[in-house]
Amino acid sequence: CGGYTWACKNNSIWSSVDTFNKLLKLKKFSYLQETKIIKFKEENKKVTCDLLTNGGLTKQKFDKVFVGSGPVATSILCINSDFTKKVTFQSSDLLQVPYFKFKTQEKKKTSFADIFVYDKKNRFYLQIYFYSKSVMKLAENIIRFINLDKIIPNQILNFFGGIFIYLDSSFSSTFSIEKRGQEIELNLEKESIEQSKILKEISKNLRKSGFFLISFLKNKSRYGQSYHFGSQFPHSHDMSGNKTDFLGRLNNMNNIHIIDSSVLPNVNNGPITNIIMANSYRITEESLKKTND
């Protein structure tokens, strides 16, 4: 799937299928399984959706549609629905670099990052991971020499770890999605050129804290394998171009609301999941309240 090996598996350790199914049952939602929305249009205060199921294409009408598919899928949906012809993405390039340190640490039992750093001046965000077998497993298709943990004792590996560097979008690669004929293409618009300079500065600062980066083993990930902030349909008072109002609506639509990171401004301060959730909750609450009024 182009990402981490563990995320491409049906039985991923991060799978939320069971959790969602329990929630749907608890809240008595009806759920259209194995159904993909292809496009939509709004007319007569209803939203008509073209849906792809095992039985083929079908149409269904809804009072409201909330789109939370993520920046790529949301953009493709809006392009298929003729809301726009092209979108440009705010993303964050990712550098993954192993390090060596002279001091070992206590035994690590989780796969979560141990240190989080946001550099406001230079606009990058860091996650520092100490060594653990669970971290090695999560990065099995990224870290070189991954099988070393089978032949080298933990007492030695504990002196190593990895650092994830998420770069600000202003000096990351730029991507766009555009429809050409019947095909939708993901294109590289601009290649990042600042990474070596940034890595050298980070390496210099980390040495002061006893972390020595092994830069020649670095791995570079671009769009789709790092954070992709979206921001292609940002909230705005000015509705020109690919802008949405504060209820996530494009092109003066009344009942189609975008609720994922596509409508957020570009904020590079680490994971934005909580911000997305809060904004999604606000949009759905306000829009449903207006409907009930």
Side-chain angles (χ1 to χ4, degrees), residues 6 43 65 94 100 124 163 168 176 184 284:
W6 56 265
E43 53 187 3
V65 170
L94 167 63
F100 170 82
F124 57 76
I163 179 171
D168 188 84
S176 67
I184 292 181
T284 51

Side-chain angles (χ1 to χ4, degrees), residues 12-189:
S12 167
I13 61 173
W14 296 103
S15 175
S16 55
V17 173
D18 291 340
T19 301
F20 273 108
N21 284 335
K22 290 177 182 178
L23 180 63
L24 291 168
K25 184 177 181 180
L26 176 66
K27 299 296 184 179
K28 298 180 180 179
F29 281 100
S30 58
Y31 175 51
L32 303 176
Q33 289 188 334
E34 298 182 6
T35 300
K36 180 180 180 180
I37 181 170
I38 303 301
K39 63 180 180 179
F40 44 46
K41 65 178 179 179
E42 183 176 330
E43 53 187 3
N44 300 324
K45 297 183 178 180
K46 293 284 186 178
V47 181
T48 301
C49 297
D50 287 16
L51 305 175
L52 180 62
T53 66
N54 289 336
L57 281 173
T58 183
K59 291 183 183 292
Q60 192 165 339
K61 290 186 177 182
F62 301 91
D63 294 322
K64 276 191 174 293
V65 170
F66 297 93
V67 182
S69 305
V72 174
T74 294
S75 296
I76 293 174
L77 185 56
C78 290
I79 290 174
N80 281 337
S81 303
D82 296 323
F83 280 10
T84 185
K85 294 182 179 179
K86 179 180 179 179
V87 295
T88 301
F89 286 87
Q90 300 287 348
S91 63
S92 172
D93 286 346
L94 167 63
L95 295 176
Q96 297 151 308
V97 191
Y99 67 78
F100 170 82
K101 55 188 176 59
F102 288 106
K103 290 184 179 181
T104 185
Q105 75 280 331
E106 294 181 8
K107 185 176 180 181
K108 178 180 172 65
K109 298 180 180 179
T110 71
S111 58
F112 298 106
D114 297 278
I115 301 175
F116 297 84
V117 180
Y118 175 60
D119 188 307
K120 185 176 181 180
K121 178 182 177 182
N122 296 300
R123 295 173 298 173
F124 57 76
Y125 167 72
L126 306 180
Q127 288 179 326
I128 299 177
Y129 290 84
F130 297 150
Y131 168 76
S132 77
K133 287 187 178 295
S134 57
V135 170
M136 291 282 278
K137 182 171 178 57
L138 288 176
E140 61 186 347
N141 65 323
I142 294 174
I143 300 176
R144 302 181 195 182
F145 316 119
I146 193 70
N147 292 323
L148 287 179
D149 66 323
K150 297 178 181 179
I151 58 176
I152 299 179
N154 288 340
Q155 289 83 349
I156 295 178
L157 290 174
N158 275 332
F159 288 95
F160 294 86
I163 179 171
F164 283 23
I165 307 170
Y166 298 92
L167 304 179
D168 188 84
S169 60
S170 60
F171 39 73
S172 292
S173 305
T174 302
F175 294 82
S176 67
I177 286 184
E178 184 175 9
K179 190 169 187 178
R180 296 181 182 274
Q182 297 301 313
E183 299 293 326
I184 292 181
E185 299 178 353
L186 175 65
N187 299 307
L188 174 64
E189 298 273 326

